[in-house]
Amino acid sequence: MEEEKVQTATSHYPLMDRELSWLAFNYRVLQEAKDPRVPLLERVKFMAIFSSNLDEYFKVRVATLKRLIKLNEKTRRKLQEDPSDTFGQVMQEVRRQQEEFGEVFREGILKDLREHGIHLLTEHDLNPEQQEWVRAYYEKTLEPLLLPIILDETETQLFLKDQTVYLGIKMWEPQAGEEGKPERFAMLEIPTKKHGSRFVKLPTVGDKRYVMFIDDVIRLCLPLMFGAYRQFDAHAVKVSRDAELDIEEEVSGNLMAKIRKSLKKRETGYPARLLYDPETPQDLLDMMMAHTGITQDELVDGSKYHNFRDFFQFPDFNLPGLKYEPQPTLVHPLLEQEPSLLAAMQRQDYLVHYPYQSFDYVLRLFNEAAEDPKVTAMSATLYRVADDSAIAKALARAAKNGKLVTVVVELKARFDEEANIFWAGKLQKAGANVIYGVPDLKVHSKLGLITRNEGGKLKSYAYLSTGNYNEDTSTIYADHALFTSDRRITRDVEQVFNFFIDGQPDKEFRHLLVAPLNMREQFVRLVDREIRHAKKGLPARMVLKMNALQDERMIKKLYAASQAGVQIDLLVRGICCLVPGVEGVSENIRVRSIVDRYLEHARVYIFHNNGEEQYYVASADWMTRNLNRRVEVAFPLLQPDLVEQVRTIIGLQLSDDNKARDVANTYIPASPPTDVRSQYATYNYLRSLVPEGVHPYREKKK
C-alpha cells in the first residue's frame, strides 16, 4: 500500500484517507467498464456511472475541500490534516483515473463497438452522403435549439450552467467581401436536454450502424452557423459547481424556503472545477476564462468530450446480445398467493429482496391500507422518492379518505430536494401532516407504519427497509425490506414516529437500534460482547456489510476486536477507512467489496454471540454522519426463516470469486475456485424458493 494513501489518526492505529478511499471505489466502477466479461453496452453504462459519480464527487467533496482551503490559517490548524495536501493527492489520483478512463474508451470501448458494427463517427469520418444527411438533420432539428454567444471586449460576464457542456469556438479567415474582425470567439451550449439525447443515429448501411455526438454534428455545421468565416476550431468545456447546501440544518423558520433558496444558489455556486479539452488553443481558453471568471486553479484537464454520463442515453440499436441477459423479476414465494397483505402480516413476517423480487408488494401494502376502512392512520418517511411516486400518491389518497396520515419528508436529501418539495406540497394539499425532518438531523431511515382498528383494538403493521420508497431505483439497488406486525418491532417503530413528532430524545427502544439515540452505543455493546467471548476462548465472529466505513471510533473498536481474536469479515461497497491485515492491529479483519450488475445498497450486521447469532438489517453505514447526525434505524430479524435467507445471501457474497475485490482493488480468488458470482447466485437462490406450481416471474405491466 502506498504510504501517502494512509493517514495515521493517532500513533496507535492506521486509517485510509476517506477521499482516496472513495476514489478507489469509483475505480472499481471503471474496472467493470474494462471487464471483457461484462456485455459491451453495459460496459458503456459503467463508463457513464464512473463519470456521473466523479461529477457528484467534485460538486460535493472537492468543493468542500476547496472551501476548507480558503479558511484562515488559525482555523485550518484545528483540522486533523491539511486540506491542501489532501486536495493535491485527490487531484493526482483523479488525473490518473481520467487518463485510464480515456484509454479504456479509445482502446477498449470504441474498438469493441466497431467490432460489433457500431461506429461512433466524428465530423472527420463522414462520407459525402453522410455529410449531406447530417447537415440536413442539423438544419431541421438542431439549429432551432442553438443560441451562440459572441465573446468580445464589450461582452458582459458569462455564466456557465452547472454540469452543462459548452463549445468554445474560434473562427478566423473572413469570407471574401466580408468585413469584420480577422478572428472572433463564441460559446455555445450543447442542447442535450432540449434534443433529448447527446447522440444522433445516422442511417444504417447493411450491418453497419452509425452514431455521432451532437457536439460533432455542430462542429461539422459551424460554417452554416457562422457563414462570414472559413476556418473554425471548437473545443468543449464543462463546469462543476459546489453542491453543498450550506444551510442551517434546523426547522426554525421556513426550512422549505431555505431549501428552495439553496437550490437556486446551487446553480450559482462557485466552480469546483472547469473541465477543458487540453487541445484548446490558449487564446480561446484565455477568452473563455476572461468571460466566465474561471481561474487557473479551477482548470482540470479533460478530453475532447465531457459529460460521459450522457452515455446512459447511448442507443442500443436493438442488439440484446450486447446487454445483460434479462433477469425477470421474481415473485415472493408466499406473498404472491396472499389476497391481503395486511392479513398475511398478521400471521408472520416477510422479507422481500430487491431488485430480485418485485417492489410491487410495498405498493400493494400502501394501496390496500389507503382503501381499507379499518385503517385509521398511516405514517412514512420519504427520503428519495420517484418523480411519479406511487407511494406518495397512496398516502395522499389515504389522507383524502379521512385517515390520519403523517409523512416525514427529508428536504435535505441531496440532489432529490426538488422532487421531495413537490410531493410535500401535494401531500399537504391532500390533508396529510407533513413533518420536515428533525432539527439538526437528516432523516435517512426508511419506515412505514399502518394502524388498523381490529375489533375495537388498534393493531400496528410496519414496513422497514434498507432502501428508499422509490420504484425507479428498486430495479437496480440491492436491498432488503421487512413486512411485520410483530409487536416487538412495531412498538419501537411507533416510538420513532413519536420522536419525529415531538423531537424529544427520551424514547425507549427495546429492539430497534436508532441513531443518534442508541445505535452507536448498542453497536459498541455488540462488538464488546464478541471481544469478551474471544478473550474467554469462545468462538467470536462478526460479518458486517455496509456502503461505507469511516467513523474512527467504530474503526478503533474493530481494531480492538481483531486484537482480541475476533474474526471479522467486512463487505464494504464504497469508502473503507479501516486498513486490514496490519500485524498487531487488524490481522483478523478481511475486507471485500462487490461491484456488479446491481448496486449493493443493503446494510447487514451479524454478530456470532457464541452460537446464538443476532442479525440486524439497517439503513445506516458506520459513518460519523450516520451515527451522529442522521435518524437511522437498524432492525433485528426475529424469525428463523428470514435469518436463513439473509445468512444464505451474505454467505454467497463472502464466497464471490467473480466480482469481489480487496482494498487494493485486486480481484479475490477462491481456493479452490468456487466460480460464485453472488448477485446471480442470489437470484437463483431466491428463484429456488418459489414453490412448484407457482409462476416464478412477475408479469410485466402493459
Side-chain angles (χ1 to χ4, degrees):
M1 184 176 299
E2 299 175 29
E3 283 188 14
E4 78 247 26
K5 292 189 178 181
V6 178
Q7 65 183 34
T8 303
T10 73
S11 59
H12 302 298
Y13 61 99
L15 287 175
M16 176 74 77
D17 180 84
R18 168 187 171 150
E19 309 303 338
L20 295 171
S21 182
W22 185 91
L23 289 171
F25 153 67
N26 208 34
Y27 185 74
R28 292 192 280 278
V29 176
L30 185 57
Q31 285 180 317
E32 289 298 291
K34 294 167 58 178
D35 190 340
R37 299 172 297 177
V38 177
L40 178 55
L41 292 179
E42 305 295 347
R43 289 165 56 199
V44 170
K45 283 188 179 179
F46 277 110
M47 298 288 282
I49 295 169
F50 174 90
S51 182
S52 178
N53 287 349
L54 196 59
D55 282 343
E56 182 173 336
Y57 179 75
F58 266 88
K59 287 165 64 66
V60 179
R61 297 302 306 171
V62 173
T64 299
L65 280 174
K66 297 183 85 168
R67 198 181 305 114
L68 293 174
I69 291 171
K70 291 183 178 181
L71 295 173
N72 62 57
E73 187 176 346
K74 182 178 179 181
T75 305
R76 284 173 59 181
R77 281 201 297 267
K78 297 178 182 179
L79 302 174
Q80 284 189 346
E81 57 185 305
D82 187 343
S84 297
D85 292 343
T86 303
F87 179 76
Q89 293 180 46
V90 164
M91 295 308 297
Q92 181 180 356
E93 177 61 14
V94 166
R95 280 189 288 270
R96 187 195 70 77
Q97 290 189 13
Q98 290 277 48
E99 289 176 5
E100 185 168 345
F101 179 91
E103 183 179 340
V104 170
F105 179 64
R106 293 187 304 271
E107 306 301 325
I109 299 293
L110 287 181
K111 179 182 176 183
D112 290 348
L113 285 171
R114 287 192 296 270
E115 289 180 358
H116 286 86
I118 300 173
H119 300 266
L120 183 58
L121 303 179
T122 73
E123 70 275 24
H124 305 298
D125 301 325
L126 304 176
N127 61 38
E129 292 79 13
Q130 290 171 327
Q131 288 186 21
E132 183 179 351
W133 187 94
V134 169
R135 288 192 181 100
Y137 182 90
Y138 166 83
E139 291 181 322
K140 180 181 179 181
T141 306
L142 278 180
E143 189 175 33
L145 308 178
L146 301 176
L147 183 63
I149 298 173
I150 300 297
L151 305 180
D152 58 28
E153 297 80 4
T154 61
E155 184 68 44
T156 55
Q157 195 79 355
L158 178 64
F159 177 78
L160 300 186
K161 297 177 186 177
D162 181 51
Q163 301 295 80
T164 301
V165 180
Y166 293 81
L167 283 181
I169 302 164
K170 177 182 177 180
M171 59 197 93
W172 68 99
E173 288 191 18
Q175 296 279 7
E178 291 283 348
E179 293 185 4
K181 296 182 179 181
E183 63 181 23
R184 301 204 76 176
F185 301 90
M187 291 202 73
L188 179 68
E189 178 183 339
I190 302 293
T192 304
K193 289 184 180 179
K194 292 179 182 178
H195 181 254
S197 170
R198 184 77 176 279
F199 301 97
V200 174
K201 288 170 64 176
L202 280 64
T204 297
V205 179
D207 60 353
K208 292 185 177 180
R209 301 162 180 86
Y210 300 100
V211 62
M212 288 183 72
F213 278 101
I214 57 176
D215 317 31
D216 290 331
V217 172
I218 294 170
R219 286 186 174 99
L220 177 73
C221 298
L222 286 174
L224 300 178
M225 184 183 302
F226 301 106
Y229 290 87
R230 299 177 185 175
Q231 298 293 328
F232 300 91
D233 207 353
H235 298 271
V237 296
K238 183 190 78 168
V239 68
S240 296
R241 297 187 177 276
D242 185 348
E244 281 296 316
L245 291 181
D246 277 342
I247 63 170
E248 298 176 15
E249 294 190 355
E250 54 181 312
V251 184
S252 59
N254 189 337
L255 181 58
M256 182 86 80
K258 287 184 179 182
I259 293 286
R260 285 198 177 109
K261 182 178 179 182
S262 190
L263 286 172
K264 292 177 182 177
K265 286 174 64 179
R266 174 177 295 169
E267 291 298 318
T268 58
Y270 71 82
R273 68 168 175 172
L274 180 84
L275 267 181
Y276 75 102
D277 181 352
E279 301 296 319
T280 306
Q282 190 62 46
D283 55 354
L284 174 57
L285 186 60
D286 289 343
M287 184 65 76
M288 289 190 291
M289 291 171 63
H291 284 269
T292 61
I294 302 293
T295 68
Q296 195 74 32
D297 290 340
E298 278 93 45
L299 293 182
V300 176
D301 286 5
S303 61
K304 181 179 179 180
Y305 306 101
H306 308 315
N307 265 12
F308 267 73
R309 61 180 181 165
D310 290 336
F311 270 89
F312 284 121
Q313 305 159 352
F314 192 76
D316 64 11
F317 294 99
N318 295 316
L319 296 172
L322 300 185
K323 303 177 75 173
Y324 287 129
E325 289 186 16
Q327 281 190 347
T329 305
L330 297 169
V331 300
H332 189 278
L334 301 176
L335 288 177
E336 188 66 15
Q337 312 306 311
E338 298 289 347
S340 165
L341 293 189
L342 291 170
M345 291 165 66
Q346 291 175 8
R347 298 190 292 274
Q348 67 176 83
D349 293 352
Y350 303 88
L351 265 183
V352 179
H353 310 279
Y354 314 129
Y356 312 103
Q357 295 171 329
S358 176
F359 190 73
D360 284 353
Y361 299 108
V362 65
L363 304 182
R364 274 182 57 193
L365 176 64
F366 275 73
N367 285 325
E368 179 183 338
E371 301 298 336
D372 187 337
K374 292 185 179 180
V375 169
T376 60
M378 295 174 65
S379 302
T381 59
L382 300 184
Y383 185 69
R384 298 188 193 276
V385 296
D387 290 339
D388 190 31
S389 173
I391 293 290
K393 289 178 181 178
L395 291 166
R397 194 165 63 255
K400 289 178 180 178
N401 288 343
K403 306 181 193 307
L404 177 63
V405 175
T406 300
V407 184
V408 182
V409 178
E410 182 48 71
L411 295 181
K412 300 184 289 292
R414 186 182 291 126
F415 305 118
D416 285 88
E417 303 95 345
E418 291 182 272
N420 289 5
I421 288 172
F422 170 81
W423 283 112
K426 287 279 190 183
L427 288 161
Q428 278 186 319
K429 286 181 181 178
N433 174 33
V434 177
I435 299 172
Y436 298 116
V438 179
D440 300 319
L441 301 174
K442 181 181 284 190
V443 178
H444 190 246
S445 52
K446 296 83 167 65
L447 301 175
L449 185 67
I450 297 166
T451 305
R452 193 168 185 266
N453 188 332
E454 299 177 0
K457 294 183 179 180
L458 296 180
K459 182 174 178 63
S460 294
Y461 300 80
Y463 173 84
L464 305 94
S465 180
T466 66
N468 299 304
Y469 290 109
N470 192 314
E471 302 95 294
D472 297 335
T473 60
S474 71
T475 62
I476 53 175
Y477 285 24
D479 281 300
H480 308 300
L482 177 69
F483 295 68
T484 183
S485 66
D486 190 317
R487 186 59 185 158
R488 292 172 291 181
I489 302 295
T490 60
R491 177 201 167 277
D492 280 5
V493 174
E494 291 167 7
Q495 288 289 81
V496 177
F497 279 102
N498 288 338
F499 173 62
F500 292 141
I501 292 169
D502 64 25
Q504 299 301 311
D506 58 346
K507 305 296 182 286
E508 179 188 4
F509 301 101
R510 298 175 185 172
H511 296 278
L512 296 187
L513 314 185
V514 181
L517 304 180
N518 74 337
M519 181 177 283
R520 180 187 291 275
E521 293 75 11
Q522 291 301 315
F523 273 137
V524 168
R525 179 185 65 81
L526 291 164
V527 176
D528 281 339
R529 186 176 63 190
E530 297 301 317
I531 291 174
R532 288 196 303 274
H533 288 160
K535 288 181 176 178
K536 293 178 182 177
L538 299 172
R541 188 185 182 210
M542 295 180 286
V543 181
L544 312 174
K545 178 185 178 182
M546 61 196 86
N547 295 345
L549 173 56
Q550 167 269 330
D551 184 80
E552 291 186 21
R553 288 160 62 187
M554 296 309 297
I555 290 172
K556 190 174 182 180
K557 179 59 66 175
L558 292 177
Y559 285 154
S562 173
Q563 291 164 21
V566 180
Q567 298 299 310
I568 304 170
D569 282 292
L570 296 174
L571 287 156
V572 186
R573 185 194 80 214
I575 295 168
C576 182
C577 295
L578 178 146
V579 182
V582 177
E583 186 176 353
V585 178
S586 56
E587 64 264 49
N588 290 315
I589 304 177
R590 294 157 296 280
V591 180
R592 59 172 49 213
S593 178
I594 295 172
V595 176
D596 198 357
R597 178 173 181 164
Y598 305 120
L599 183 78
E600 291 294 339
H601 192 251
R603 291 82 162 180
V604 178
Y605 301 95
I606 305 171
F607 302 89
H608 185 265
N609 191 27
N610 196 27
E612 298 182 10
E613 288 185 322
Q614 283 189 269
Y615 280 66
Y616 286 90
V617 180
S619 63
D621 296 312
W622 279 8
M623 298 185 74
T624 303
R625 70 182 187 188
N626 297 91
L627 299 174
N628 291 3
R629 299 190 298 275
R630 291 186 172 189
V631 180
E632 304 273 15
V633 170
F635 52 93
L637 298 181
L638 303 175
Q639 199 167 281
D641 62 319
L642 305 188
V643 169
E644 181 58 30
Q645 289 175 29
V646 174
R647 178 188 288 120
T648 300
I649 292 170
I650 293 296
L652 291 171
Q653 293 173 358
L654 292 175
S655 302
D656 192 312
D657 62 353
N658 273 244
K659 293 295 182 179
R661 287 85 146 174
D662 61 19
V663 291
N665 281 344
T666 302
Y667 287 91
I668 300 174
S671 183
T674 58
D675 197 26
V676 170
R677 186 173 178 182
S678 58
Q679 291 186 351
Y680 283 70
T682 297
Y683 180 87
N684 292 333
Y685 163 66
L686 294 173
R687 167 68 178 82
S688 73
L689 298 182
V690 180
E692 288 188 20
V694 175
H695 185 64
Y697 307 123
R698 173 54 54 95
E699 298 287 344
K700 282 190 175 182
K701 294 181 180 178
K702 296 183 180 179

